[in-house]
């Protein structure tokens, strides 16, 4: 269990940066992992391809104000957020819809249980647990499926 936690800890904080050889290299970069994600943040991470990593302020930042950055892109789905960072983002709804369009074979599997039933089980599940994250992803994908009519 401790090894599993350690692997997750590294995987959720590693950043892929393009090296001089043109390949992506996974790196742990002190300080950078302290920035949390917020989809609507005006601030962003730059330099993943030129080797000059920096956080660019997209708006004035006051003393003591938390600076959040956007992880991924507008196309990053909740499946990716969960797999890479260990959380779900309600703002990823459009990307979830695109994911379901790209993988139509997933739709019948999601339809095996009702959304309302999954929401009820999720509400009774310990927040932050592996079960809650898995159910949260299932619920997010079902909501995306319902919105898009796919």
């Amino acid at each position: 269990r401790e090894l599993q936690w350690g692997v997750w800890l590294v995987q959720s904080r590693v950043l892929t940066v393009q090296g001089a050889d043109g390949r992506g290299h996974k790196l742990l970069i002190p300080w950078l992992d302290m920035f949390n994600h917020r989809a609507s943040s005006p601030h962003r991470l730059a330099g993943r391809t030129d080797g000059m990593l920096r956080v660019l302020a997209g708006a004035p930042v006051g003393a003591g104000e938390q600076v959040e950055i956007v992880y991924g892109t507008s196309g990053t789905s909740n499946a990716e957020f969960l797999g890479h960072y260990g959380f779900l983002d309600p703002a990823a709804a459009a990307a979830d819809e695109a994911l379901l369009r790209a993988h139509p074979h997933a739709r019948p599997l999601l339809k095996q249980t009702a959304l309302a039933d999954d929401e009820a089980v999720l509400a009774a599940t310990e927040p932050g647990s592996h079960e809650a994250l898995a159910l949260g992803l299932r619920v997010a994908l079902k909501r995306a499926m319902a919105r898009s009519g796919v």
Side-chain angles (χ1 to χ4, degrees):
R1 186 164 185 116
E2 289 178 5
L3 176 61
Q4 184 180 33
W5 175 82
V7 168
W8 175 83
L9 185 69
V10 169
Q11 288 179 334
S12 68
R13 286 164 175 74
V14 72
L15 181 69
T16 303
V17 177
Q18 183 176 333
D21 59 4
R23 295 181 17 220
H25 299 275
K26 296 197 177 293
L27 305 173
L28 280 174
I29 302 170
W31 172 79
L32 193 58
D33 71 326
M34 300 301 288
F35 289 93
N36 288 323
H37 165 79
R38 183 170 50 95
S40 62
S41 175
H43 314 301
R44 65 185 181 87
L45 175 66
R48 290 177 70 164
T49 58
D50 67 10
M52 300 293 294
L53 286 173
R54 58 211 175 271
V55 174
L56 301 176
V61 178
E65 183 180 342
Q66 180 177 357
V67 175
E68 298 156 315
I69 60 175
V70 178
Y71 292 11
T73 67
S74 61
T76 303
S77 71
N78 272 309
E80 294 170 284
F81 278 124
L82 183 57
H84 293 289
Y85 308 110
F87 67 84
L88 301 169
D89 183 358
D96 288 345
E97 291 173 23
L99 179 68
L100 289 169
R101 282 192 299 277
H103 299 280
H105 58 277
R107 290 182 229 147
L109 298 171
L110 289 168
K111 290 179 180 178
Q112 289 180 353
T113 59
L115 174 58
D117 293 340
D118 287 348
E119 289 172 329
V121 173
L122 178 58
T125 304
E126 180 184 341
S129 67
H130 292 147
E131 294 82 6
L133 289 170
L135 281 165
L137 176 60
R138 185 176 178 89
V139 165
L141 292 175
K142 284 185 173 191
R143 288 177 179 161
M145 195 165 56
R147 273 190 311 277
S148 65
V150 295

